[in-house]
Structures are given as structure tokens and as C-alpha cells.
Amino acid sequence: MDRRVVILVAALSWASPTLAQDAFRVDGLAPGDTFSIRETPDAEAPALGRAPLGARLRGFGCTADTPSGLTWCRVKAGPILGWARRRYLAPD
């Protein structure tokens, strides 16, 4: 492989946290509660779907640059791609 390609791929991986994937498990909910995955990183945003306690989600980076100042993570659960509160996500 060309050395320039290797350097470019390494630089893009380092510079773009959204390329990195994290694994999360829904945690911290009361038994029977479900977890909302929202359209935008805001509790008032429409829910795109819900996940139960213990559900596994793929993560694509987190941010506290939100209207509320709370940390939200970009997540994917099955076909649903949206935003979830970091407070309810445990590393998996």
C-alpha cells in the first residue's frame, strides 16, 4: 500500500471522531422503563425509537455542545440512527 494512503487513513481516523465506533449498553433505567433515541440531541426532540434496559447500541461520538449542555451520543440501534443521553449508556 502506498505510504501516502496509509498516512491519510491514519490522519482521517484521528481527526474524525465520528468514524470511530463505540459499543454501549443501555443502563441506569428503572425496571420496565425504555430509553428514547431522539432525532436531535435534545429531550424535546421527537423520539425515533426506544430501547430496553440492557440493549446494545453502536456509538459514533458524544458531545456536550447541546441546547441543554448535557452530553448526548450519536447512536444506532438496529436501523434507528439518532441521539441518546450519555447518562444512560454504559460501555459494552
Side-chain angles (χ1 to χ4, degrees), residues 16-39:
S16 299
T18 56
L19 294 177
Q21 292 183 19
D22 296 313
F24 293 114
R25 187 170 298 278
V26 176
D27 192 27
L29 299 176
D33 278 357
T34 56
F35 181 68
S36 295
I37 298 172
R38 301 200 176 269
E39 189 174 285

Side-chain angles (χ1 to χ4, degrees), residues 5-17:
V5 172
V6 172
I7 292 170
L8 178 61
V9 169
L12 287 174
S13 296
W14 174 78
S16 299

Side-chain angles (χ1 to χ4, degrees), residues 3 18 34 41 57 92:
R3 185 173 189 273
T18 56
T34 56
L57 308 173
D92 188 37

Side-chain angles (χ1 to χ4, degrees), residues 44-79:
E44 300 300 318
L48 301 173
R50 300 185 73 75
L53 181 66
R56 295 181 76 197
L57 308 173
R58 287 189 345 196
F60 301 93
C62 299
T63 183
D65 186 17
T66 63
S68 64
L70 299 173
T71 302
W72 288 74
C73 299
R74 186 81 162 150
V75 297
K76 184 168 184 170

